[in-house]
Amino acid sequence: MNWEEYLWLPSTLTILLTTWFLFGKSINFLLRKRQIPPSPSPSPSPSPSPSSCPAPAPAPAPAPEANLLAAVAGKEYEVFLSFYGQDTRLGFNDFLYTYLCGAGISTFRDNEGLQVGDEIGPELLKTINDSKIYIPIFSKYYAYSKRCLLELAHMVKCQENGDRMIFPIFYDVDPSEVRHPHTGSYEKAFRQHKKKYDEKKVQQWEEALGIVGKLKGLELKKETNRPEGELVKIIVEEVLSKLKKHYTHLPEILVGIDHHVDKLKELLNIESNGVRFVGILGMGGLGKTTIAKVIYNQLCESFEYHCFLEDVRENSNSNRIINLQNQLVSKILKRQIPTFDDDNEGVNKIRGAIRGKKVFIVLDDVDKNSQIEKLAGNFNWYGAGSRIIFTTRNAEVLAAFQVSCEREGSSDVYASYEPDLMDDDHSLKLFSKYAFMMDSPPKGYEILADELVSNAGGLPLVLVTLGSLLSVEKDRGSWQERFKKLKAIPRIEVLERLRISYDALDDQQQQIFLDIACLFAGVDKTNPCYMWADCNFFPLEGINALVRRSLITIREEDNTLRMHDQLRELGRQIVHDENKDEPGKRSRLWCPEEALDALRTHQLTRKVKVLCLDLRQDSEIDPNIQSQCLVGADLRFLRLGRADLEGDFKHFLPSLRWLQWSCKINFTPANFLLKNLVILDLSGSQITYDWKGWSESKMAKKLKVLNLSRCNGLRRVALFPTFASLERLILSYCTSLEKIEPSGGNLINLRVLDLSNCPCLKNLDCSMFPTLESLDLQWCEQLRSLDGLEQSISFKNLNLSFC
């Protein structure tokens, strides 16, 4: 059968569908999962005029009616906000409006008192007609406004057509007061309305309130223990799930971004039918990525084909540019495609995917012209109206690209933009929003804040990081102490300024920060948290501390750890400075070349906790690593690329928690008893069912994650009873896998099982996994039976697409 999209279903419905599946029924379901940015922290700001997205910053003061009508004429909005301005406009609705815009949602709001008189004109009625979602914010005086009631009645009328949604927010009134306007907060208002207005019109308002008061919405009076940022997150989640929008995550607070966006739009010249490349140049921490993300959020819906590729520089290392090429083609073709053999094939696939199409592509953090060539090609590939943006720190990239355009006789298709540093006013505002949760410093902190901002040199990253750090300080004395340290650092030393935030972390939090900087930036946080927890680094507390200090973010759509490249550079510099001359005396050897050097010269010491080797890069090196080479090392993370281990490991690697090993079929190590192992990643290995390493692996009784993806020699897998702690089993792309055998016991703690793209799998008995929560079987084309799923007590998600 052909299941055309992802299918994720709750447990009860899943069991029913599984039964249908066994009877060979053809069922097609569609789910579009939406993610939202992390919760922002609200701050009061002056109320903007009636305005629309995409500008996320506060708008100017209210304009006359003529300006309002000009603003709304001819434009369709996705969300219409209705509220009584004097009740909510200084806080909640400003915050909600800004964050909706920041998520790329075109939003219109109509502030009380902006139009002449109480009536609403045809232009505003058209705006309501054209909007997809209505959000009335019911406050104590909402019903006193005739215009608010007229808007609400028209919303209800539009909703009756079936293609509109009303999501009410009960700001400081109960839903019952809205349903029954003759009691509670609205009683007096309706007594006045009945004296002034036609009875039929007042009845329409009452009926509209009654209808909307019964709808599911958000009751703020019941959410007093939750910050407004979290409540706004719920609203945006609801809106995004209905709109099914594509967007990139933006910082929680945006200051001084508008003029950059306007300038970039001018350079892009969207109205032109020609192809246009624009390069954004600037030092790290200047805000290039944020500018590009805002532009992408605002314009991507105008293009049928669009893609934002993050961290190109970092993700191009170690031949990983193929992954970026695959991601780009998959986004353009709107389906997952197999991985390319090499980057030349990737170039050809990209050219074929985008040929003749109007596309919008952003390449973030490019540092070599070859990356543009392998990901974006040249203007001849693209259809009319295409736009390509790339950001870079390297001016030579811009110069080389400009030369190539001139060589092709198409210099007019390229432009560049270099954002300037943040001015003093915007710098103080951005700093204050993070340090004080307001637009300016409170009384008594003005002079100190001015000096701190002046020393930050206009770099947004430094301002955000310092503001987040100082927001947790409780007194002015602590501030002055931090400022003395900062003042002693030369203005050009950006990394040293950022280090102040690192120094404020406790030891466990510092270990997590350095691990992310060296290993896990862009990685799903699940597996690192398993390791950190077993090392007593307290990852939940540690990650929260890093997020609070703006040292990392968590991208919710894929649960990945994100770190600014300047902060990543800071972490790696800290590790390098542990011993500048002898790599074997540093805590982390993430660079394969330095790891090889330390291995050759037998310099490894107990200081080394992380070791990453990839012998494929040096054909002259013996790929057999003797156990004696690891003498002295006290590793908790070991990555081996196409290397073999030999010798007796009885007294080695006692602290190892994570082993990533792409190994061959022959297993020669003796006493390879990794009793503290938590994560075993054998993806891409040549192992089989009879691999001798299985017997040694049985000793890993603490194992939480077993990754056997792309082990194409596996035809069957035995689940050992000693793996009782296992929570995640990854068998995706095992193209020969036919069955899973219990081998003496069930995996009583397994929560996630990924069997996607296993085309030879025919049967699966889920009774072996009594606590299973998530099962991925997409592209298991020969699957005939799925038994025992009803025995799982906590099952949540099932993916049967393309089975």
Side-chain angles (χ1 to χ4, degrees):
M1 90 184 67
N2 182 24
W3 298 66
E4 296 179 349
E5 290 283 355
Y6 280 116
L7 175 61
W8 296 96
L9 297 165
S11 57
T12 303
L13 188 54
T14 297
I15 294 169
L16 292 173
L17 289 177
T18 302
T19 304
W20 293 352
F21 171 74
L22 295 175
F23 280 94
K25 300 288 186 181
S26 296
I27 309 168
N28 289 313
F29 285 87
L30 176 66
L31 172 84
R32 302 280 180 88
K33 293 182 69 176
R34 300 307 318 212
Q35 303 293 334
I36 63 172
S39 302
S41 299
S43 58
S45 58
S47 179
S49 68
S51 51
S52 66
C53 294
E65 183 182 18
N67 290 341
L68 169 67
L69 300 184
V72 303
K75 179 173 177 63
E76 294 185 4
Y77 296 89
E78 293 168 307
V79 172
F80 184 99
L81 293 181
S82 173
F83 56 92
Y84 185 74
Q86 295 181 22
D87 279 355
T88 63
R89 74 181 189 179
L90 293 181
F92 184 83
N93 87 61
D94 273 3
F95 185 40
L96 175 60
Y97 172 80
T98 299
Y99 206 61
L100 285 166
C101 292
I105 300 169
S106 178
T107 306
F108 178 85
R109 60 175 174 182
D110 175 27
N111 285 0
E112 171 72 35
L114 292 177
Q115 296 193 69
V116 178
D118 286 332
E119 301 297 331
I120 59 177
E123 291 84 2
L124 195 56
L125 288 175
K126 185 179 185 302
T127 300
I128 297 174
N129 291 340
D130 293 339
S131 299
K132 298 181 177 72
I133 297 177
Y134 311 123
I135 303 181
I137 303 175
F138 291 110
S139 57
K140 289 185 181 298
Y141 294 99
Y142 183 92
Y144 282 84
S145 167
K146 176 185 177 183
R147 199 182 72 257
C148 285
L149 294 174
L150 288 169
E151 289 175 355
L152 187 71
H154 197 68
M155 293 177 202
V156 171
K157 181 180 179 181
C158 292
Q159 187 199 34
E160 291 174 354
N161 296 329
D163 57 350
R164 299 292 186 268
M165 170 190 171
I166 300 178
F167 184 79
I169 298 173
F170 303 98
Y171 183 74
D172 54 3
V173 296
D174 294 324
S176 61
E177 295 179 273
V178 176
R179 290 195 299 269
H180 307 290
H182 292 294
T183 61
S185 300
Y186 295 166
E187 179 184 4
K188 184 177 179 181
F190 271 84
R191 283 205 307 266
Q192 296 177 2
H193 291 329
K194 287 182 177 179
K195 295 177 181 178
K196 294 174 61 177
Y197 305 116
D198 178 72
E199 181 178 351
K200 184 177 181 181
K201 180 174 290 187
V202 173
Q203 186 178 354
Q204 289 177 345
W205 298 343
E206 292 175 348
E207 291 174 353
L209 287 167
I211 291 171
V212 178
K214 295 176 182 178
L215 297 177
K216 181 182 179 181
L218 190 64
E219 298 180 49
L220 267 61
K221 291 177 71 173
K222 290 185 177 181
E223 306 289 351
T224 54
N225 295 326
R226 300 169 74 174
E228 284 194 349
E230 188 174 343
L231 300 176
V232 166
K233 176 179 178 178
I234 295 172
I235 299 167
V236 177
E237 180 180 30
E238 184 72 19
V239 172
L240 286 171
S241 67
K242 297 297 181 183
L243 295 175
K244 300 178 174 62
K245 290 184 63 63
H246 301 276
Y247 68 98
T248 59
H249 287 294
L250 287 168
E252 299 173 0
I253 297 170
L254 294 174
V255 172
I257 199 81
D258 290 355
H259 72 285
H260 295 303
V261 172
D262 292 342
K263 179 62 177 177
L264 205 56
K265 283 184 176 179
E266 181 181 329
L267 294 174
L268 287 168
N269 191 13
I270 295 297
E271 290 74 20
S272 167
N273 284 327
V275 177
R276 193 80 165 158
F277 284 75
V278 174
I280 305 176
L281 173 67
M283 67 183 297
L286 188 60
K288 303 183 299 297
T289 298
T290 300
I291 295 170
K293 284 184 173 182
V294 171
I295 283 287
Y296 182 81
N297 282 356
Q298 293 183 7
L299 300 181
C300 67
E301 293 299 318
S302 300
F303 296 79
E304 184 178 356
Y305 308 100
H306 50 84
C307 180
F308 191 107
L309 289 180
E310 296 186 85
D311 299 326
V312 171
R313 174 170 60 95
E314 181 72 14
N315 290 322
S316 295
N317 297 333
S318 302
N319 205 35
R320 286 185 292 170
I321 197 165
I322 295 173
N323 296 333
L324 291 173
Q325 292 175 321
N326 184 272
Q327 182 182 340
L328 176 57
V329 175
S330 297
K331 289 281 285 185
I332 298 300
L333 297 181
K334 301 181 181 180
R335 58 182 173 84
Q336 191 63 41
I337 62 170
T339 304
F340 310 132
D341 293 332
D342 54 50
D343 55 17
N344 290 325
E345 181 188 359
V347 169
N348 292 329
K349 293 291 187 182
I350 292 172
R351 184 192 297 116
I354 66 179
R355 184 174 295 281
K357 294 184 176 72
K358 178 184 176 182
V359 303
F360 182 27
I361 297 173
V362 178
L363 307 180
D364 179 44
D365 194 19
V366 171
D367 71 335
K368 296 178 182 177
N369 196 54
S370 61
Q371 294 162 357
I372 300 177
E373 294 172 353
K374 292 177 180 179
L375 292 169
N378 62 63
F379 72 96
N380 292 318
W381 293 8
Y382 297 90
S386 293
R387 296 295 181 267
I388 299 89
I389 296 174
F390 58 90
T391 71
T392 183
R393 299 192 216 177
N394 189 352
E396 294 180 2
V397 171
L398 297 186
F401 187 78
Q402 185 171 3
V403 168
S404 66
C405 289
E406 292 172 352
R407 190 185 305 121
E408 296 286 336
S410 55
S411 58
D412 58 330
V413 306
Y414 169 72
S416 63
Y417 176 59
E418 187 170 355
D420 49 7
L421 292 168
M422 193 169 266
D423 63 34
D424 290 343
D425 290 340
H426 283 139
S427 293
L428 182 61
K429 184 175 181 179
L430 180 62
F431 174 80
S432 298
K433 279 183 172 292
Y434 279 90
F436 309 111
M437 306 304 167
M438 56 181 64
D439 288 348
S440 57
K443 186 176 181 180
Y445 283 83
E446 299 94 337
I447 296 177
L448 192 54
D450 282 339
E451 291 178 339
L452 279 163
V453 166
S454 175
N455 202 265
L459 271 178
L461 175 64
V462 176
L463 292 163
V464 168
T465 306
L466 291 178
S468 300
L469 169 66
L470 294 171
S471 69
V472 301
E473 301 293 356
K474 303 301 182 184
D475 56 76
R476 214 171 348 176
S478 300
W479 270 58
Q480 291 170 336
E481 183 178 336
R482 299 283 185 199
F483 179 62
K484 287 179 182 178
K485 292 182 180 179
L486 182 64
K487 201 170 183 179
I489 301 169
R491 288 174 62 88
I492 61 172
E493 296 294 338
V494 177
L495 293 184
E496 287 303 312
R497 287 207 202 97
L498 296 176
R499 177 154 186 166
I500 291 177
S501 293
Y502 169 81
D503 290 337
L505 303 172
D506 65 30
D507 182 64
Q508 289 87 356
Q509 293 163 2
Q510 289 181 351
Q511 297 304 316
I512 292 174
F513 175 84
L514 295 178
D515 276 355
I516 296 173
C518 296
L519 293 170
F520 300 130
V523 173
D524 186 311
K525 72 176 183 178
T526 304
N527 288 359
C529 282
Y530 281 127
M531 179 181 71
W532 293 328
D534 202 66
C535 293
N536 293 319
F537 289 171
F538 308 104
L540 294 181
E541 177 185 337
I543 287 175
N544 286 336
L546 297 181
V547 170
R548 284 197 304 271
R549 288 169 169 79
S550 296
L551 294 174
I552 66 168
T553 58
I554 308 296
R555 190 165 70 178
E556 293 192 13
E557 66 186 47
D558 54 9
N559 203 37
T560 53
L561 299 159
R562 316 302 295 185
M563 178 179 282
H564 193 281
D565 51 8
Q566 285 282 75
L567 292 166
R568 187 166 56 219
E569 187 177 335
L570 167 67
R572 294 180 176 185
Q573 187 65 49
I574 290 170
V575 173
H576 181 269
D577 290 346
E578 292 171 354
N579 195 303
K580 297 180 180 180
D581 300 321
E582 299 182 59
K585 293 183 179 179
R586 299 175 196 156
S587 60
R588 294 159 180 84
L589 296 178
W590 72 91
C591 177
E593 291 79 10
E594 290 186 336
L596 275 173
D597 184 59
L599 209 62
R600 284 182 184 133
T601 55
H602 301 281
Q603 290 182 350
L604 295 181
T605 66
R606 287 189 61 82
K607 177 74 173 175
V608 180
K609 306 297 181 184
V610 170
L611 185 67
C612 300
L613 289 165
D614 190 348
L615 300 187
R616 289 172 291 186
Q617 297 182 358
D618 194 338
S619 58
E620 298 179 1
I621 299 299
D622 184 357
N624 298 318
I625 299 175
Q626 301 293 327
S627 58
Q628 295 300 318
C629 293
L630 301 175
V631 169
D634 187 27
L635 301 177
R636 55 180 170 84
F637 181 96
L638 176 59
R639 177 184 294 159
L640 298 172
R642 296 297 177 188
D644 290 328
L645 296 172
E646 290 187 349
D648 191 335
F649 285 81
K650 184 174 183 179
H651 301 295
F652 300 101
L653 305 177
S655 302
L656 194 66
R657 263 65 174 209
W658 188 323
L659 175 61
Q660 183 177 340
W661 184 17
S662 182
C663 60
K664 297 180 180 178
I665 190 169
N666 294 325
F667 183 83
T668 57
N671 296 308
F672 201 62
L673 310 176
L674 306 178
K675 296 182 179 180
N676 285 309
L677 199 67
V678 177
I679 299 160
L680 178 58
D681 184 351
L682 299 174
S683 55
S685 296
Q686 299 176 15
I687 60 176
T688 65
Y689 179 83
D690 300 319
W691 183 57
K692 293 182 179 179
W694 291 126
S695 59
E696 305 279 345
S697 303
K698 292 179 183 179
M699 299 304 297
K701 297 182 179 181
K702 297 169 66 175
L703 197 67
K704 298 286 188 181
V705 180
L706 177 58
N707 188 347
L708 300 173
S709 60
R710 292 184 169 83
C711 291
N712 295 327
L714 280 176
R715 299 190 63 173
R716 50 192 176 126
V717 173
L719 304 179
F720 306 115
T722 51
F723 288 171
S725 298
L726 194 68
E727 295 186 10
R728 303 175 70 87
L729 177 58
I730 314 300
L731 290 160
S732 57
Y733 292 93
C734 290
T735 55
S736 301
L737 185 66
E738 297 177 359
K739 63 185 302 186
I740 299 178
E741 299 177 352
S743 188
N746 296 334
L747 297 185
I748 59 175
N749 287 303
L750 192 72
R751 296 188 295 108
V752 176
L753 176 58
D754 187 351
L755 287 160
S756 59
N757 293 276
C758 293
C760 295
L761 184 68
K762 298 177 181 178
N763 306 294
L764 182 64
D765 182 3
C766 294
S767 63
M768 295 184 288
F769 323 116
T771 58
L772 192 66
E773 296 179 3
S774 178
L775 175 61
D776 193 343
L777 291 165
Q778 63 170 317
W779 288 107
C780 293
E781 298 167 319
Q782 295 191 42
L783 186 64
R784 296 293 176 264
S785 67
L786 185 60
D787 302 320
L789 196 59
E790 69 281 356
Q791 297 182 28
S792 177
I793 60 175
S794 52
F795 196 79
K796 297 178 181 177
N797 298 319
L798 173 66
N799 188 347
L800 285 170
S801 57
F802 305 104
C803 285

